[in-house]
Amino acid sequence: FTSRLVQKYPESATALACLAFLYAMQGDISAGEEKIAQAAQMDPNNESVQGIKKLIGVFTGNIAPQQGDPSTWTQEEFLYELFRLFRSQEMSRILEVTELWLAKNNEPEQQEQRASVYVWRAMAYAVNGETNQAVEESLRSVRLDPKNTNAWVNLGKFYSLQGQNDQAVESLERAVVILGETEDSFKSTGVSVVGDGKISTYHETDDNKASLHDVLLVLSEVYENKKDIPKAIERLEWACQLEPQNQDSRLSLINLCTRQNEFEKAVNFATNAVKDFPNQSNFTIRLGFAELKRGNIQQGSVALEAALRQDPKFLDYVSQDPEKLSKEDTTYEYHIAVGQALIRMGKYD
């Protein structure tokens, strides 16, 4: 998404800096450093670029630990130190630093900032495996700032980890409502879990669709855990509408419908995906399997044959140890279907 943004606005140093940060976040430090250097050269006085440059320094170890009383640090110093500690997995130190800060910063005008600090504390507890405490810290955050979307998302994720799916849905739906209110309602408030162990950093933006997209993916998973399949499909379909070029989301939607025997929907979604991504065998494969499950043997075999021609490696994939396959590819019917397609192609061996 950000790469497309950079292509669309090549003169934007801020967009390039954001891309640099994402590279650093996923561990490609050299790419992050290269792109942030380009952004800094494009606009040396851009404060956002300089801030992201310093954040990338957290990942490269180029920022020394903050010294002294945390309550005396500037907001910027405090944030950078929390990022540094999180990156180095010093969760106990995060809890210590934030406790000291909270003890000395309790003015009414600091409520939103305090809420953000509780988000960090919740994350630290979660990484340490203390989910109950992570829930409590998240609740403290939303009580202080009911608009803190990161806190609601984290709270939903923590509830889900505990198997409390009703509470998880309630929290995540609160985040969806806030995100849908206005395009600028999503505030920069720290970090958020969007998957097991994966951290997403949210920033102020004029377009919050990408953030809403991520929340909807999590929400769909929780609805599926609750066996509320119509809601799971509805939320995932909404996510795909927000980011139609996100192939992973489109694939997840087709897989969800197929898993839940919603074969008509699976065929419709797969057909549209094949039109949008004609060279991606993954979608053609899913279309073929959904047609077969729907009882359309001819159409299914034709689609699987097309997939085999698109991607010769597909045959190696489905022929390997079933434990290495995704859960959609391990069924008896699936392998029979592939066999039928191979026969049509004359590949009898």
Side-chain angles (χ1 to χ4, degrees), residues 15 216 242 299:
L216 290 168
L242 289 172
Q299 294 94 320

Side-chain angles (χ1 to χ4, degrees), residues 117-261:
V117 171
Y118 280 118
V119 170
W120 282 99
R121 290 178 60 80
M123 287 295 302
Y125 278 118
V127 172
N128 282 344
E130 300 177 65
T131 313
N132 289 336
Q133 194 60 45
V135 166
E136 290 302 316
E137 298 295 281
S138 297
L139 287 170
R140 291 188 178 99
S141 181
V142 297
R143 289 182 192 123
L144 286 170
D145 182 8
K147 294 286 189 179
N148 190 316
T149 324
N150 291 322
W152 285 116
V153 173
N154 284 348
L155 183 58
K157 189 64 180 178
F158 301 148
Y159 276 138
S160 179
L161 290 173
Q162 293 180 328
Q164 300 186 64
N165 291 317
D166 289 337
Q167 293 92 326
V169 162
E170 183 180 350
S171 300
L172 291 165
E173 288 287 10
R174 286 289 294 270
V176 169
V177 169
I178 296 168
L179 286 167
E181 286 178 353
T182 59
E183 285 193 346
D184 61 354
S185 65
F186 200 20
K187 296 178 290 186
S188 173
T189 49
V191 295
S192 171
V193 175
V194 294
D196 290 340
K198 296 182 179 179
I199 309 303
S200 173
T201 303
Y202 295 115
H203 295 278
E204 289 184 12
T205 174
D206 292 330
D207 185 348
N208 60 33
K209 289 190 297 184
S211 302
L212 178 56
H213 167 272
D214 292 343
V215 177
L216 290 168
L217 293 184
V218 179
L219 188 52
S220 176
E221 292 178 12
V222 177
Y223 273 123
E224 187 177 8
N225 292 338
K226 280 186 51 140
K227 310 300 182 187
D228 189 343
I229 305 309
K231 274 289 188 182
I233 293 174
E234 177 188 290
R235 287 301 186 242
L236 192 48
E237 187 176 3
W238 185 5
C240 292
Q241 291 170 353
L242 289 172
E243 288 194 23
Q245 295 304 310
N246 189 313
Q247 295 184 34
D248 290 338
S249 301
R250 301 277 291 271
L251 199 60
S252 295
L253 177 59
I254 298 165
N255 287 341
L256 172 61
C257 293
T258 304
R259 277 200 305 275
Q260 301 300 333
N261 298 326

Side-chain angles (χ1 to χ4, degrees), residues 61-116:
N62 292 332
I63 293 183
Q66 290 290 334
Q67 303 295 327
D69 185 349
S71 64
T72 65
W73 300 344
T74 66
Q75 185 172 354
E76 183 182 77
E77 290 171 339
F78 189 51
L79 179 62
Y80 288 143
E81 179 64 2
L82 291 178
F83 266 106
R84 189 193 68 78
L85 292 169
F86 202 94
R87 181 69 177 178
S88 59
Q89 295 290 291
E90 297 181 57
M91 301 305 151
S92 297
R93 178 59 178 162
I94 287 178
L95 294 173
E96 178 186 344
V97 165
T98 52
E99 185 175 359
L100 290 170
W101 187 93
L102 288 167
K104 295 188 177 181
N105 293 272
N106 196 24
E107 299 299 324
E109 64 271 16
Q110 294 177 304
Q111 296 299 83
E112 289 188 8
Q113 193 175 355
R114 286 174 61 82
S116 299

